[in-house]
Amino acid sequence: MQNRTPRIPQQPAPNRAEFDARLTVELAAVVTGARRRALRDGDRQIDTAHLLHSLIESDPEVRAAFEGGPQLAKMLGYLVQRSIGYGLRWQGAVEDTGAVQVVEDPDSAVRDIGVEGWSPSAASAMAEARERAELRGDARAGGLDLLAALASDHECRAVEVLQRAGVDAEQLAARIVGASGQGWQGARG
């Protein structure tokens, strides 16, 4: 009898010590969930839709940033369809919007997370989330930092999901960033 379990591509395990130290506990859990989702889906890399899915499932502040239940339900519907291979057809394709700049800095946040296991867009969003936290004076990036970064990349898969669910990504990012550009102006104050 043949083993019917699909072969799951192996992702390199990046050195996460420094990376995890710059994330809130909640965001570190989101990253773990996105990694698990990518492996389960048979995707070679964590992409922005994996991150969005994991953010919505596990971060109450992220869920509060949206306009309510119906919008969240529709968004989760698209993400679940994608994870079972129906609907949004991205499985097996690497997400690269071309929006990612080549980073020469050896201390780059993108290098820290292990680019090999992340799509260029997801790595860029995570680096931007960490930069947003630093600009705000926080040592650790949180879920809203990542959501704002995802919503700001108009070419990524996460924004495609947001748009299909009727979410204005620009407006969402603006609500999170606020007029000062220093971070979430809602639940955290």
Side-chain angles (χ1 to χ4, degrees), residues 63-136:
R63 288 191 299 273
F66 291 95
E67 294 177 357
Q71 197 175 61
L72 284 171
K74 191 171 183 182
M75 204 168 356
L76 280 171
Y78 282 117
L79 290 164
V80 168
Q81 284 179 4
R82 181 266 175 116
S83 69
I84 62 173
Y86 179 78
L88 301 175
R89 301 203 186 274
W90 299 318
Q91 191 168 6
V94 174
E95 174 185 39
D96 184 4
T97 64
V100 179
Q101 298 175 356
V102 175
V103 181
E104 301 291 334
D105 179 6
D107 294 324
S108 162
V110 174
R111 184 190 59 109
D112 291 346
I113 62 173
V115 171
E116 293 174 27
W118 293 65
S119 75
S121 296
S124 178
M126 188 58 70
E128 184 178 333
R130 289 169 54 179
E131 289 170 14
R132 286 173 183 272
E134 288 172 6
L135 287 172
R136 193 177 55 252

Side-chain angles (χ1 to χ4, degrees), residues 120-186:
S121 296
S124 178
M126 188 58 70
E128 184 178 333
R130 289 169 54 179
E131 289 170 14
R132 286 173 183 272
E134 288 172 6
L135 287 172
R136 193 177 55 252
D138 285 345
R140 297 174 183 229
L144 289 171
D145 295 313
L146 181 56
L147 181 60
L150 292 171
S152 297
D153 181 355
H154 302 291
E155 301 295 320
C156 74
R157 292 176 179 172
V159 168
E160 183 178 341
V161 171
L162 292 169
Q163 290 171 339
R164 286 183 181 221
V167 176
D168 183 327
E170 253 180 64
Q171 191 176 61
L172 175 64
R175 269 198 321 266
I176 295 168
V177 173
S180 67
Q182 295 299 308
W184 176 245
Q185 301 298 316

